[in-house]
């Protein structure tokens, strides 16, 4: 599910114009190059199934600028510089630049806590500029760009608005790919989750359900904070564990929502 | 999709038909799109062996496994006849997508009546083939294979701990959770 980014790598060469100054370095070798600041040694089969070298990694490391606006290149239509997603001068929608990450789209630093940044407002502003409905009279080329850009922005918004997906995205940007196939048998963790799901399924009235729901949300908060801490310390092993727990709690919350 | 048919202990996870890993949900099934193979739907609608054994029963082995990437939990229990070493009964409880539920259901059917060393040879690929699982759901069958192994391992660990005296009187209670 997290493999998309790598496929678009080759577009960087085609789509970029003269304006790009920093993006042309060849990607660093994928196999066992950990990101610069990680002290995490790449194991072959770690206990929780994490391994290095996801496809998207080299692309992401090219654009290490933490804050917004990947710069933007020259507009294909009018030639003005600094065209980021859409051109500020003529309004033409630009082709998707695979080197731009979701945080850059919203002008955010690459970090887990993004509260108070008016994500929704910025999302709406982007859609006002990129939405395919606004370009129906433009060229087929530009309509294509608009379809892709607005889809990208929707994806970015959804990923960043949800804590778990945001956490997983951050890990992905660090080159960490979580093995989907890994089964775990940590008895304590699984017992807890089993009992939780049983409680949800046995609950018959909305009061009980709401109570359970708020308990689970509390746990989500705790582990969300745990992720924050681990991520900030670059303790990616703990960070992944935190996301695993968050996933279980989110599933449980979904069940309560369905029943309510 | 709440089941109103009485308080039979259906697999609690049954309410989640097809909502794992972002695939087509109930809407697709209702619209007639074959999102799930009939056997999977069958195991979902007519679950076999859902339930719980007393995990403290000396003749019960409990396998508890999970797939953190999907948030699935699977419990598979076996009741072993000490004399013959054969599995005489099995039950499961799974919270996860339809494929995970069906995989564990199939697993409980397949282990019944078999000796323990034979069930250890049950491969996830066989379960997947039986259910025509798509590639994206293969890990569900893997979970079931791991659950079988975990249950056997648990039973054997218990036996080792209890020592060699053959004074076990298998308790016939089946505790409903």
């Amino acid at each position: 599910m997290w493999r998309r980014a790598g496929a678009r790598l080759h577009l960087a060469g085609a789509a970029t114009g003269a304006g790009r100054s920093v993006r042309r370095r060849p990607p660093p070798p994928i196999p066992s190059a950990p990101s610069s600041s990680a002290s995490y040694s790449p194991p072959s089969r770690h206990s929780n199934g994490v391994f290095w070298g996801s496809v998207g990694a080299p692309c992401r490391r090219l654009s290490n600028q933490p804050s917004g606006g990947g710069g933007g290149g020259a507009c294909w239509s009018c030639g003005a510089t600094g065209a980021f997603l859409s051109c500020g001068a003529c309004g033409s929608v630009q082709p998707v630049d695979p080197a731009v990450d979701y945080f850059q789209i919203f002008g955010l630093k690459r970090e887990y806590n993004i509260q108070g940044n008016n994500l929704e407002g910025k999302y709406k502003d982007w859609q006002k500029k990129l939405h395919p409905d606004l370009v129906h009279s433009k060229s087929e080329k530009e309509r294509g760009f608009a379809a892709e850009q607005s889809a990208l922005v929707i994806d970015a918004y959804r990923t960043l608005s949800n804590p778990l997906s945001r956490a997983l995205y951050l890990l992905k940007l660090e080159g960490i790919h979580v093995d989907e196939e890994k089964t775990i048998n940590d008895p304590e963790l699984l017992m807890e989750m089993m009992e939780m799901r049983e409680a949800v399924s046995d609950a018959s009235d909305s009061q009980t359900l709401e109570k359970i729901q708020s308990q689970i949300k509390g746990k989500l908060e705790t582990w969300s904070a745990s992720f924050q801490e681990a991520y900030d310390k670059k303790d990616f092993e703990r960070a992944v564990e935190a996301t695993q727990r968050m996933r279980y709690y989110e599933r449980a919350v979904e069940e309560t929502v369905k029943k309510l | 999709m709440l089941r109103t048919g009485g308080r039979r202990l259906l697999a609690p996870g049954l309410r989640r038909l097809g909502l794992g890993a972002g695939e087509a949900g109930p809407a697709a099934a209702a619209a007639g799109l074959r999102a799930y193979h009939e056997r999977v739907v069958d195991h979902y609608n007519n679950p076999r062996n859902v339930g719980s054994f007393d995990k403290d029963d000396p003749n019960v082995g409990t396998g508890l496994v999970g797939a953190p990437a999907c948030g699935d939990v699977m419990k598979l229990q076996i009741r072993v006849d000490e004399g013959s070493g054969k599995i005489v009964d099995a039950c499961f409880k799974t919270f996860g997508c339809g494929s995970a539920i069906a995989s564990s259901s199939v697993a409980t059917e397949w282990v019944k009546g078999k000796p323990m060393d034979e069930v250890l040879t049950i491969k996830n690929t066989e379960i997947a083939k039986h259910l025509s699982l798509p590639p994206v759901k293969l890990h569900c069958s893997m979970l079931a294979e791991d659950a079988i192994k975990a249950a056997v391992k648990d039973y054997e660990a218990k036996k080792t701990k209890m020592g060699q005296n053959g004074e076990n009187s298998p308790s016939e209670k089946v505790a409903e959770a």
Side-chain angles (χ1 to χ4, degrees), chain A residues 16-96:
Chain A
T16 53
R20 300 253 177 273
S21 49
V22 258
R23 305 264 151 79
R24 294 290 192 156
R25 284 175 304 175
I30 298 180
S32 54
S35 90
S36 48
S37 45
S39 54
Y40 178 55
S41 58
S44 46
R45 185 91 178 133
H46 198 269
S47 60
N48 58 3
V50 174
F51 60 89
W52 287 89
S54 98
V55 186
C59 176
R60 292 295 161 250
R61 284 189 216 114
L62 287 174
S63 53
N64 267 329
Q65 292 119 291
S67 54
C75 173
W76 60 271
S77 177
C78 71
T81 53
F84 182 63
L85 270 61
S86 76
C87 176
C90 70
S92 298
V93 181
Q94 305 298 302
V96 166

Side-chain angles (χ1 to χ4, degrees), chain A residues 43 63 69 84 98 106 108 110 113 149 212 225 227 229 235 254:
Chain A
S63 53
F84 182 63
F106 292 106
L108 300 172
R110 191 188 287 183
N113 185 0
Q149 283 287 20
I212 297 176
F227 172 82
E229 204 188 304
D235 182 354
E254 273 169 30

Side-chain angles (χ1 to χ4, degrees), chain A residues 183-184 198 247-248 251 255, chain B residues 16 66 69-70 72 93 146:
Chain A
T183 57
I184 55 168
E198 280 172 351
R247 169 90 66 189
Y248 275 109
R251 271 284 134 77
E255 285 303 305
Chain B
R16 295 194 65 228
C70 332
D72 289 352
K93 228 194 220 184
D146 287 349

Side-chain angles (χ1 to χ4, degrees), chain A residues 180-185 187 190-191 193-194 197-198 201-202 204 244 247-248 251 254-255 258-259, chain B residues 2 7 12 15-16 19 55 64-75 93 95 139 143 146:
Chain A
E180 297 261 320
E181 323 255 311
K182 184 67 191 165
T183 57
I184 55 168
N185 47 22
L190 291 171
M191 256 335 257
M193 301 310 170
M194 183 63 101
R197 297 292 299 267
E198 280 172 351
S201 111
D202 290 342
S204 45
Q244 288 176 345
R247 169 90 66 189
Y248 275 109
R251 271 284 134 77
E254 273 169 30
E255 285 303 305
K258 269 195 252 163
K259 282 187 81 168
Chain B
L2 290 182
R7 267 322 187 158
R15 294 191 179 93
R16 295 194 65 228
L19 292 172
K55 70 173 176 20
L64 187 57
V65 295
C70 332
D72 289 352
V73 198
M74 186 186 284
K75 179 171 78 168
K93 228 194 220 184
F95 291 99
H139 66 277
L143 200 59
D146 287 349

Side-chain angles (χ1 to χ4, degrees), chain A residues 107-242:
Chain A
L108 300 172
K109 278 175 62 173
R110 191 188 287 183
E111 56 189 3
Y112 182 57
N113 185 0
I114 59 167
Q115 277 176 336
N117 273 296
N118 193 21
L119 192 70
E120 193 178 345
K122 289 178 184 171
Y123 167 65
K124 289 183 177 163
D125 286 343
W126 272 127
Q127 292 297 25
K128 283 182 200 150
K129 295 184 182 139
L130 302 171
H131 201 277
D133 287 352
L134 303 165
V135 295
H136 62 90
S137 58
K138 302 280 182 78
S139 64
E140 194 178 315
K141 176 166 95 165
E142 193 172 350
R143 277 183 276 141
F145 294 160
E148 287 183 357
Q149 283 287 20
S150 73
L152 181 71
V153 168
I154 289 172
D155 231 355
Y157 176 63
R158 285 199 187 137
T159 304
L160 295 185
S161 345
N162 171 271
L164 175 57
S165 53
R166 192 189 324 137
L168 292 167
Y169 183 68
L170 278 168
L171 290 175
K172 179 187 168 203
L173 291 179
E174 295 288 336
I176 296 172
H177 172 75
V178 183
D179 185 1
E180 297 261 320
E181 323 255 311
K182 184 67 191 165
T183 57
I184 55 168
N185 47 22
D186 174 350
E188 248 182 74
L189 166 62
L190 291 171
M191 256 335 257
E192 181 196 331
M193 301 310 170
M194 183 63 101
E195 282 166 7
M196 180 182 298
R197 297 292 299 267
E198 280 172 351
V200 169
S201 111
D202 290 342
S204 45
D205 59 290
S206 53
Q207 216 178 9
T208 320
L209 271 171
E210 273 164 13
K211 196 170 123 201
I212 297 176
Q213 190 184 77
S214 77
Q215 278 172 352
I216 303 174
K217 284 185 173 172
K219 293 195 172 173
L220 247 179
E221 283 297 320
T222 309
W223 283 93
S224 174
S226 178
F227 172 82
Q228 171 92 76
E229 204 188 304
Y231 176 75
D232 290 341
K233 286 193 305 201
K234 306 276 183 205
D235 182 354
F236 295 124
E237 197 180 319
R238 291 275 116 69
V240 168
E241 276 171 22

